Amino acid sequence: MRNFPAQYTLNDEDVLYFSHIPKTAGMTFRTIVEDQFDDREICPATLNAQVAKIPKDQLKDYRLFRGHLGFINIPELLPGKEVVNVTILREPIARVISHYEYIRRMPGDPHYRAVKDMTLAEFAQKLTAGKVGKNIQTYHVAKAMRFKLDDLTPEETLALAKESLDNFAFVGLVERFQDSLFLLSYILGWKPILNSRKENAAKKKKSFDEIPAETLEIIRENSLLDLELYHYAQEIFETRFNEMVQQLISQFGTAADQAETISSDRLKELLELHYEQRYRDLDRTPSSTLLYDFGQALRGMGWQRRECPPSGPPAYRWTGPGTVSTLDLPQIAPPNGNCLLEFRVIATQATAPNILDSLSVLVNQNPVRLNTLHSDRGVKLLQAVVAPEMLKSERPFTEVKFEVDRVTSLNAVNPLDPDTRQVGVALNYVQLFPQETERQHSAAAQLFEDEAWKNTIDFLSQHLQPQEVVIAPLAFRVMVNNSVLDYDAFLEGKQAQWLVLHKGMAAQISTILMKLLGRGLSPVFANEVFVLYSNRQGIATANYASKHVRPVYIDRVKKNVEHKLKTLYRQYAGKKQLIRSSPKG
């Protein structure tokens, strides 16, 4: 880091390589670094053997390598690329103890058979230097400078590791993890990263007081290289961190900052201003539309790790672990009129319904009113009108803020789901476009590619007359020019000549059915998805006992019973699982 620039912007030919040394908070750090890259830019391999299976011409397309790759020569695999190295180090004695305990509780670990019957003292001294227990940090760091170390003495390896650290873009310390994330954000111009994730962390860590003094001395004697390298890394870290603080205060601070020891909260504020300046320096040309999917790099805060379904895109993220999540989206060109903000919430059945109901959105701190375009099978498509003045901002991006009133774990909603992360709602895309281009850009238009949707809109278009009002999922607004109102408007007494009932969408379907006859609306068209009602004269009515109308009335009772039984079963199974896992006696 002494030879690496204090601030650096990764370019297209750079490859960021995070050397994940075991038990150095690497799993948490890895997901944080992954946030900064598009999913397609991240090498999927995290182990040496996995990288070896990827064709070399494919490797060149990746801009992020991360994982336990200390025994594969990354630069040799990427000719013509500039490898930018980052890593996290940990106090060596604590790291050895943690690694020993981890291997012994993980039968799937490749070193489990060799280590499971060892004492901690044996683990620290028996294993080969640079492998698992003995000076592993020194050898990992040295290999970034020179891959083959077999002909070097331990002292020469340590000297090489120090020289290697001098050329790293970043070295963080587990014991100062949040400060490390701040320093990384500063160096690479990323949004200030807050430590809100704990991946693969041990539930209980053994204290030094629980370990015999002679065992600790054996660990120390067999970690001398790592201890010296760690102290060297501490010196580098302190220097770079203090230089960062002084530069931030000089550029963005006040007289009060000069006089006081800076708090973590204040440092975050200064880093946010620094991030805005670095973002502005990118000088991005605004476009008329914007589409963000969660496979793209994340610029924002308050999100869980990216998740990519095995069947392929789209990727998605849960909000959490807090109640506020933000996206910093590129600014769009000034529109002539209103814009539409549209996003899709998925897995609505997996979290508590009242969390989704509490969702609110702000654009550049301006609240917007959410409308549901479509809701079915665990997916909800939401849209809001954004006035041109809401898009004006002194910051170089458009901030979209999502807020819920609480978070919970998926396990709390469904005891059969082992996921205990605190989450709110899950999103898989967000877009912003001029309202006048809704038909071209709204995801709602894609719904009408389905045969049932297409047939329904065709029937409605053939019979719909100017000025007639339609009650329907708001997605129909994309396809018709008439006034389209949602089901809430109908229940509030709004008169309409047409009502398009989506069999799986309307939560208030029972109430709607009771009001239809009173308003003179009868079924005139039906298919497997919709029943279309009208009070227009001269249109033949459909039989209530027909194949597609009947389920709305009779089969609905059956579905309600089935849903209640499934809910009861999940609760029963969860309690049973809890009883089995509780300690006996």
Side-chain angles (χ1 to χ4, degrees):
M1 290 177 70
R2 299 175 197 268
N3 299 328
F4 197 86
Q7 299 182 48
Y8 187 78
T9 300
L10 294 170
N11 62 60
D12 291 343
E13 294 306 310
D14 287 334
V15 171
L16 191 72
Y17 171 40
F18 164 48
S19 177
H20 179 183
I21 301 168
K23 305 315 295 176
T24 57
M27 285 297 290
T28 298
F29 186 77
R30 196 174 95 185
T31 66
I32 289 170
V33 173
E34 288 170 353
D35 285 348
Q36 312 302 323
F37 293 84
D38 288 6
D39 181 56
R40 56 185 170 78
E41 296 177 326
I42 303 172
C43 178
T46 59
L47 300 173
N48 301 316
Q50 295 171 346
V51 173
K53 295 177 181 179
I54 299 176
K56 285 189 177 182
D57 62 343
Q58 184 178 333
L59 289 173
K60 64 180 176 54
D61 295 330
Y62 299 126
R63 298 185 60 230
L64 172 64
F65 287 76
R66 74 281 183 264
H68 300 302
L69 305 176
F71 296 94
I72 194 165
N73 193 341
I74 296 293
E76 185 179 75
L77 295 175
L78 303 169
K81 300 285 187 178
E82 186 68 31
V83 177
V84 178
N85 290 290
V86 299
T87 197
I88 296 278
L89 298 185
R90 183 176 184 179
E91 193 286 315
I93 295 176
R95 196 214 67 79
V96 169
I97 295 168
S98 178
H99 200 184
Y100 169 74
E101 293 176 343
Y102 172 80
I103 293 173
R104 282 165 51 88
R105 69 174 181 266
M106 297 296 289
D109 188 279
H111 304 289
Y112 176 76
R113 291 173 65 86
V115 174
K116 66 183 179 70
D117 295 322
M118 283 184 182
T119 65
L120 176 56
E122 290 172 332
F123 175 78
Q125 63 185 340
K126 279 190 174 183
L127 296 165
T128 307
K131 299 280 185 73
V132 189
K134 190 177 285 188
N135 291 309
I136 189 173
Q137 299 185 93
T138 300
Y139 281 82
H140 268 71
V141 172
K143 277 179 173 291
M145 193 76 179
R146 171 180 164 180
F147 184 65
K148 295 183 179 179
L149 307 175
D150 295 341
D151 60 340
L152 299 183
T153 65
E155 292 74 18
E156 290 172 331
T157 302
L158 175 61
L160 186 65
K162 289 181 177 180
E163 183 183 357
S164 183
L165 269 193
D166 284 338
N167 291 283
F168 268 45
F170 162 82
V171 57
L173 306 175
V174 170
E175 290 72 21
R176 292 188 61 183
F177 196 65
Q178 181 56 69
D179 285 345
S180 297
L181 296 180
F182 281 158
L183 181 58
L184 177 68
S185 305
Y186 172 78
I187 293 171
L188 297 179
W190 294 344
K191 190 175 183 71
I193 302 167
L194 297 179
N195 178 27
S196 60
R197 302 176 191 166
K198 290 186 178 180
E199 306 283 347
N200 204 32
K203 293 181 180 178
K204 183 179 183 299
K205 297 178 182 179
K206 186 172 287 188
S207 107
F208 283 8
D209 295 338
E210 301 175 68
I211 299 171
E214 56 270 25
T215 299
L216 291 174
E217 180 59 25
I218 290 171
I219 297 172
R220 192 191 71 79
E221 289 175 358
N222 286 275
S223 304
L224 293 177
L225 301 184
D226 275 5
L227 284 164
E228 186 167 343
L229 182 70
Y230 183 76
H231 292 316
Y232 189 76
Q234 284 180 306
E235 293 175 6
I236 295 175
F237 181 86
E238 288 292 346
T239 300
R240 288 296 290 272
F241 187 83
N242 291 334
E243 288 175 351
M244 173 191 74
V245 171
Q246 290 307 310
Q247 192 279 330
L248 289 172
I249 291 175
S250 173
Q251 187 172 2
F252 304 108
T254 65
D257 294 322
Q258 297 282 359
E260 300 176 4
T261 301
I262 196 162
S263 68
S264 183
D265 287 342
R266 178 57 178 157
L267 182 56
K268 178 184 176 298
E269 291 175 1
L270 297 179
L271 280 167
E272 184 72 34
L273 295 172
H274 174 261
Y275 157 68
E276 289 179 15
Q277 182 58 54
R278 295 283 292 271
Y279 196 110
R280 189 176 286 109
D281 290 343
L282 296 175
D283 196 23
R284 296 179 176 176
T285 303
S287 63
S288 60
T289 62
L290 171 73
L291 173 62
Y292 176 81
D293 69 72
F294 285 84
Q296 297 174 30
L298 177 67
R299 299 291 180 263
M301 53 149 291
W303 299 89
Q304 296 287 2
R305 64 177 181 268
R306 177 196 286 132
E307 298 181 58
C308 301
S311 56
Y316 66 94
R317 289 183 188 272
W318 286 95
T319 63
T323 57
V324 175
S325 304
T326 66
L327 288 176
D328 298 338
L329 303 176
Q331 290 181 333
I332 67 170
N336 295 323
N338 291 335
C339 281
L340 294 177
L341 173 72
E342 186 175 286
F343 60 95
R344 183 187 291 119
V345 179
I346 65 169
T348 58
Q349 78 285 4
T351 189
N354 57 352
I355 293 181
L356 178 55
D357 293 340
S358 75
L359 177 64
S360 62
V361 174
L362 291 87
V363 176
N364 290 332
Q365 301 301 318
N366 299 293
V368 294
R369 182 178 182 275
L370 296 179
N371 295 307
T372 301
L373 293 185
H374 177 62
S375 179
D376 187 28
R377 299 178 185 177
V379 174
K380 196 164 190 175
L381 185 62
L382 296 165
Q383 194 182 82
V385 176
V386 180
E389 56 270 19
M390 293 181 180
L391 297 172
K392 295 176 182 178
S393 174
E394 294 182 358
R395 294 186 292 179
F397 49 77
T398 298
E399 183 194 71
V400 181
K401 180 185 292 185
F402 302 87
E403 187 167 3
V404 292
D405 64 358
R406 70 184 184 92
V407 291
T408 188
S409 71
L410 301 181
N411 175 261
V413 178
N414 177 8
L416 298 181
D417 190 329
D419 196 335
T420 58
R421 293 174 301 159
Q422 294 295 298
V423 300
V425 295
L427 279 68
N428 66 4
Y429 91 92
V430 177
Q431 66 171 335
L432 201 59
F433 53 85
Q435 189 170 19
E436 62 193 26
T437 65
E438 183 176 18
R439 186 168 296 190
Q440 294 97 302
H441 292 104
S442 175
Q446 300 171 10
L447 296 168
F448 294 91
E449 296 173 4
D450 178 84
E451 194 68 18
W453 285 73
K454 183 178 182 301
N455 291 340
T456 303
I457 195 65
D458 286 347
F459 183 92
L460 183 61
S461 299
Q462 288 170 16
H463 297 89
L464 189 61
Q465 294 182 359
Q467 308 307 317
E468 288 187 325
V469 176
V470 181
I471 301 292
L474 292 181
F476 277 73
R477 192 173 60 192
V478 176
M479 305 302 292
V480 300
N481 296 323
N482 293 52
S483 175
V484 177
L485 304 177
D486 60 16
Y487 296 123
D488 287 337
F490 178 75
L491 294 176
E492 291 166 4
K494 181 67 178 180
Q495 297 299 313
Q497 291 73 41
W498 298 86
L499 187 142
V500 183
L501 183 66
H502 188 293
K503 297 177 186 178
M505 180 177 174
Q508 323 94 319
I509 193 167
S510 298
T511 310
I512 290 172
L513 292 174
M514 289 189 295
K515 291 185 177 292
L516 282 169
L517 285 175
R519 305 236 188 126
L521 292 158
S522 303
V524 294
F525 172 88
N527 58 28
E528 59 270 27
V529 177
F530 296 103
V531 180
L532 183 55
Y533 295 82
S534 179
N535 59 12
R536 280 269 307 280
Q537 300 297 316
I539 302 178
T541 59
N543 191 319
Y544 281 89
S546 62
K547 175 182 176 182
H548 293 306
V549 179
R550 179 179 180 273
V552 175
Y553 295 89
I554 300 173
D555 293 354
R556 183 167 181 78
V557 176
K558 179 181 175 183
K559 288 181 180 179
N560 284 338
V561 171
E562 289 176 349
H563 174 73
K564 289 178 180 178
L565 288 175
K566 286 179 181 178
T567 301
L568 289 171
Y569 172 74
R570 284 201 299 264
Q571 293 172 348
Y572 165 76
K575 289 178 181 177
K576 193 172 182 180
Q577 188 181 65
L578 198 62
I579 292 170
R580 286 177 177 172
S581 61
S582 61
K584 299 279 195 289

